[in-house]
Amino acid sequence: MVFQTIAMSVITLLLFLLMLTRPAGRIKLLLGALTTVCAVVSLALFLMMQRAAGNPDAGKEVLQLYLPCGVYLVLALWGLVTAVLCRKRLRSRDGEGKS
């Protein structure tokens, strides 16, 4: 379980960095959607790993649970917003070309 969580987190980070470096277009739309999906899967794996390990230590919940969950959620939301904005931009660009 630990290996899958780490691997998925690394994949999420790499997709996020690729998404940041690409110009708006179909590739960035795809990278945004993949980042969102991978971040949600990483979050689920992390929570399953935490539950199997017996949850975070008393008094250290912020660093051991809430901060990582917050980071995964921020990455998922960032990817989702990027994908939506790229889709909107592509639709408006396609609409201008047809008229």
Side-chain angles (χ1 to χ4, degrees):
M1 179 69 77
V2 173
F3 176 74
Q4 289 91 349
T5 305
I6 292 171
M8 201 64 189
S9 296
V10 169
I11 290 170
T12 302
L13 181 63
L14 291 175
L15 286 170
F16 178 72
L17 292 175
L18 274 172
M19 182 184 66
L20 290 179
T21 61
R22 300 291 175 236
R26 296 193 195 291
I27 297 295
K28 192 164 189 166
L29 171 68
L30 179 64
L31 288 171
L34 285 174
T35 300
T36 301
V37 169
C38 286
V40 170
V41 170
S42 296
L43 176 62
L45 287 171
F46 175 75
L47 289 174
M48 287 178 6
M49 187 181 71
Q50 279 288 350
R51 174 160 263 181
N55 290 325
D57 297 333
K60 297 183 181 179
E61 293 92 359
V62 172
L63 289 178
Q64 292 181 358
L65 182 64
Y66 300 131
L67 182 64
C69 289
V71 170
Y72 286 128
L73 289 175
V74 165
L75 289 176
L77 288 174
W78 193 314
L80 183 65
V81 168
T82 300
V84 167
L85 291 176
C86 283
R87 180 155 172 88
K88 188 180 283 191
R89 183 175 291 163
L90 286 171
R91 281 190 166 213
S92 68
R93 194 181 327 161
D94 288 343
E96 290 173 4
K98 290 181 181 178
S99 43

